[in-house]
PDB file of all heavy atoms in Angstrom:
ATOM      1  N   GLU A 594       1.193  12.256  24.454  1.00 65.00           N
ATOM      2  CA  GLU A 594       2.287  11.315  24.213  1.00 65.00           C
ATOM      3  C   GLU A 594       1.818   9.863  24.166  1.00 65.00           C
ATOM      4  O   GLU A 594       2.164   9.118  23.277  1.00 65.00           O
ATOM      5  CB  GLU A 594       3.347  11.471  25.326  1.00 65.00           C
ATOM      6  CG  GLU A 594       4.109  12.782  25.274  1.00 65.00           C
ATOM      7  CD  GLU A 594       4.994  12.886  24.037  1.00 65.00           C
ATOM      8  OE1 GLU A 594       5.462  11.848  23.567  1.00 65.00           O
ATOM      9  OE2 GLU A 594       5.178  14.017  23.554  1.00 65.00           O
ATOM     10  N   THR A 600      -7.441   5.564  22.088  1.00 84.00           N
ATOM     11  CA  THR A 600      -8.698   4.986  21.601  1.00 84.00           C
ATOM     12  C   THR A 600      -9.840   5.296  22.553  1.00 84.00           C
ATOM     13  O   THR A 600     -10.923   5.701  22.134  1.00 84.00           O
ATOM     14  CB  THR A 600      -8.557   3.467  21.420  1.00 84.00           C
ATOM     15  OG1 THR A 600      -7.471   3.196  20.531  1.00 84.00           O
ATOM     16  CG2 THR A 600      -9.832   2.870  20.850  1.00 84.00           C
ATOM     17  N   MET A 615      -8.309  -0.499  18.177  1.00 67.00           N
ATOM     18  CA  MET A 615      -7.408  -0.423  17.051  1.00 67.00           C
ATOM     19  C   MET A 615      -6.816  -1.797  16.743  1.00 67.00           C
ATOM     20  O   MET A 615      -6.374  -2.512  17.639  1.00 67.00           O
ATOM     21  CB  MET A 615      -6.287   0.570  17.379  1.00 67.00           C
ATOM     22  CG  MET A 615      -5.356   0.887  16.234  1.00 67.00           C
ATOM     23  SD  MET A 615      -4.119   2.090  16.757  1.00 67.00           S
ATOM     24  CE  MET A 615      -5.142   3.515  17.106  1.00 67.00           C
ATOM     25  N   GLY A 617      -4.376  -4.349  13.826  1.00 62.00           N
ATOM     26  CA  GLY A 617      -3.039  -4.289  13.243  1.00 62.00           C
ATOM     27  C   GLY A 617      -2.916  -3.264  12.141  1.00 62.00           C
ATOM     28  O   GLY A 617      -1.804  -2.830  11.814  1.00 62.00           O
ATOM     29  N   GLU A 630     -32.540  15.444  15.866  1.00 87.00           N
ATOM     30  CA  GLU A 630     -32.584  16.271  14.649  1.00 87.00           C
ATOM     31  C   GLU A 630     -32.030  15.515  13.447  1.00 87.00           C
ATOM     32  O   GLU A 630     -32.579  15.612  12.339  1.00 87.00           O
ATOM     33  CB  GLU A 630     -31.774  17.558  14.873  1.00 87.00           C
ATOM     34  CG  GLU A 630     -32.379  18.531  15.867  1.00 87.00           C
ATOM     35  CD  GLU A 630     -32.113  18.130  17.309  1.00 87.00           C
ATOM     36  OE1 GLU A 630     -31.323  17.183  17.544  1.00 87.00           O
ATOM     37  OE2 GLU A 630     -32.693  18.765  18.211  1.00 87.00           O
ATOM     38  N   ALA A 636     -35.624  10.943   8.276  1.00 75.00           N
ATOM     39  CA  ALA A 636     -37.028  10.625   8.007  1.00 75.00           C
ATOM     40  C   ALA A 636     -37.557  11.471   6.866  1.00 75.00           C
ATOM     41  O   ALA A 636     -38.313  10.996   6.010  1.00 75.00           O
ATOM     42  CB  ALA A 636     -37.856  10.853   9.272  1.00 75.00           C
ATOM     43  N   LYS A 707       7.656   7.121   0.178  1.00 96.00           N
ATOM     44  CA  LYS A 707       6.299   7.194   0.713  1.00 96.00           C
ATOM     45  C   LYS A 707       5.773   8.618   0.651  1.00 96.00           C
ATOM     46  O   LYS A 707       4.718   8.922   1.205  1.00 96.00           O
ATOM     47  CB  LYS A 707       6.227   6.646   2.140  1.00 96.00           C
ATOM     48  CG  LYS A 707       7.024   7.422   3.182  1.00 96.00           C
ATOM     49  CD  LYS A 707       6.756   6.834   4.565  1.00 96.00           C
ATOM     50  CE  LYS A 707       7.444   7.661   5.652  1.00 96.00           C
ATOM     51  NZ  LYS A 707       7.122   7.145   7.003  1.00 96.00           N
ATOM     52  N   LYS A 812      25.069 -14.528  -5.257  1.00 94.00           N
ATOM     53  CA  LYS A 812      26.094 -15.212  -4.458  1.00 94.00           C
ATOM     54  C   LYS A 812      25.509 -16.405  -3.714  1.00 94.00           C
ATOM     55  O   LYS A 812      26.140 -17.468  -3.626  1.00 94.00           O
ATOM     56  CB  LYS A 812      26.730 -14.230  -3.468  1.00 94.00           C
ATOM     57  CG  LYS A 812      27.700 -13.250  -4.115  1.00 94.00           C
ATOM     58  CD  LYS A 812      28.326 -12.330  -3.065  1.00 94.00           C
ATOM     59  CE  LYS A 812      29.372 -11.419  -3.707  1.00 94.00           C
ATOM     60  NZ  LYS A 812      30.010 -10.518  -2.711  1.00 94.00           N
ATOM     61  N   VAL A 825      30.197 -30.627  -0.767  1.00 95.00           N
ATOM     62  CA  VAL A 825      31.460 -30.962  -0.115  1.00 95.00           C
ATOM     63  C   VAL A 825      31.399 -32.376   0.467  1.00 95.00           C
ATOM     64  O   VAL A 825      32.372 -33.140   0.394  1.00 95.00           O
ATOM     65  CB  VAL A 825      31.804 -29.920   0.966  1.00 95.00           C
ATOM     66  CG1 VAL A 825      33.017 -30.353   1.787  1.00 95.00           C
ATOM     67  CG2 VAL A 825      32.066 -28.569   0.318  1.00 95.00           C
ATOM     68  N   LEU A 864      40.010 -27.454  -4.904  1.00 95.00           N
ATOM     69  CA  LEU A 864      40.441 -26.776  -3.682  1.00 95.00           C
ATOM     70  C   LEU A 864      39.939 -27.499  -2.444  1.00 95.00           C
ATOM     71  O   LEU A 864      40.653 -27.648  -1.448  1.00 95.00           O
ATOM     72  CB  LEU A 864      39.944 -25.326  -3.700  1.00 95.00           C
ATOM     73  CG  LEU A 864      40.357 -24.440  -2.529  1.00 95.00           C
ATOM     74  CD1 LEU A 864      41.876 -24.365  -2.403  1.00 95.00           C
ATOM     75  CD2 LEU A 864      39.778 -23.040  -2.678  1.00 95.00           C
TER      76      LEU A 864
END
Side-chain angles (χ1 to χ4, degrees):
E594 291 293 330
T600 303
M615 187 179 296
E630 291 80 8
K707 64 175 185 177
K812 285 182 176 180
V825 172
L864 183 58

